[in-house]
Amino acid sequence: GQQGNPTITLNNTQNQPIFSFKNGSLEITGVITAKKGGNIAGWEIGENALYKKNNNVEVVGMSPGNISFWAGGSASAAPFRVTSGGVLTATNANITGEIKAKTGRIGIKSDGTGGWIIGPNSIYNGTNSLTSKAKGLYLGTDGIRGYENDNNYFQLSSGKLTAAGADISGKITATTLIIGNQSADNWV
């Protein structure tokens, strides 16, 4: 056999190298086409995807299809996946840093209901405005409302507190006090 490090070079018609194997390194200039069934560093080449298996089960992959990247299982069922439209599914995420969202939901039950709904100017669970009669809590830029029924609610809006009942302890300071239809100015 031949000793040393062989060199193989293929040139195009302009005498520019397009394939070079030298000292154990391979350089290719141009398009490389890999066929289904091959692999690169343990990643399998599929019809339209590149994926990795563990114990013959697909665990991570990427594709130009609807689900562009996935990890933890097959593309359609993986607990972490990102669609080509940017929809992220992460079934057990610990996120640090800032999260920015115009709208959304947090604390959703496993059946997809409930939780807190986030809007551009409010966050609420149940009651969704200062006038809503649905049971729940509303926090908005226009005020705060807690509602259970017409006999049990509170609302704070434009500096005014409205409630269907109150237990207040401590000092109350007011410039005008009206109880029922009577002014308390002259009470002793």
Side-chain angles (χ1 to χ4, degrees):
Q2 187 177 4
Q3 298 293 325
N5 292 315
T7 298
I8 300 171
T9 302
L10 297 174
N11 294 335
N12 63 15
T13 56
Q14 289 82 31
N15 204 30
Q16 298 167 326
I18 55 171
F19 177 93
S20 176
F21 182 76
K22 182 178 180 182
N23 298 325
S25 295
L26 175 65
E27 289 184 29
I28 299 175
T29 303
V31 176
I32 299 174
T33 302
K35 300 291 183 184
K36 177 182 176 183
N39 73 59
I40 300 171
W43 287 74
E44 293 187 32
I45 301 169
E47 186 69 34
N48 292 308
L50 188 63
Y51 53 90
K52 186 133 179 135
K53 289 183 175 180
N54 186 8
N55 294 325
N56 215 26
V57 176
E58 189 176 311
V59 294
V60 64
M62 57 187 142
S63 166
N66 183 41
I67 299 175
S68 300
F69 179 79
W70 64 93
S74 65
S76 61
F80 179 85
R81 55 192 182 273
V82 180
T83 70
S84 57
V87 176
L88 168 68
T89 299
T91 58
N92 192 13
N94 291 318
I95 300 172
T96 60
E98 184 177 356
I99 298 174
K100 293 181 179 182
K102 292 180 182 179
T103 61
R105 292 176 72 165
I106 55 175
I108 301 170
K109 297 176 187 175
S110 60
D111 66 1
T113 64
W116 289 87
I117 298 172
I118 303 167
N121 296 308
S122 64
I123 180 169
Y124 59 90
N125 186 319
T127 193
N128 62 3
S129 72
L130 292 177
T131 58
S132 172
K133 295 277 188 167
K135 183 177 179 179
L137 182 63
Y138 169 86
L139 306 165
T141 55
D142 56 343
I144 301 170
R145 179 176 175 86
Y147 188 86
E148 187 170 331
N149 57 49
D150 285 344
N151 296 317
N152 189 3
Y153 72 91
F154 72 91
Q155 182 168 311
L156 179 60
S157 178
S158 301
K160 181 180 177 184
L161 173 64
T162 305
D167 292 325
I168 301 172
S169 60
K171 182 179 177 182
I172 297 175
T173 303
T175 55
T176 304
L177 180 61
I178 299 174
I179 300 175
N181 292 328
Q182 303 249 335
S183 172
D185 293 340
N186 297 323
W187 291 7
V188 179

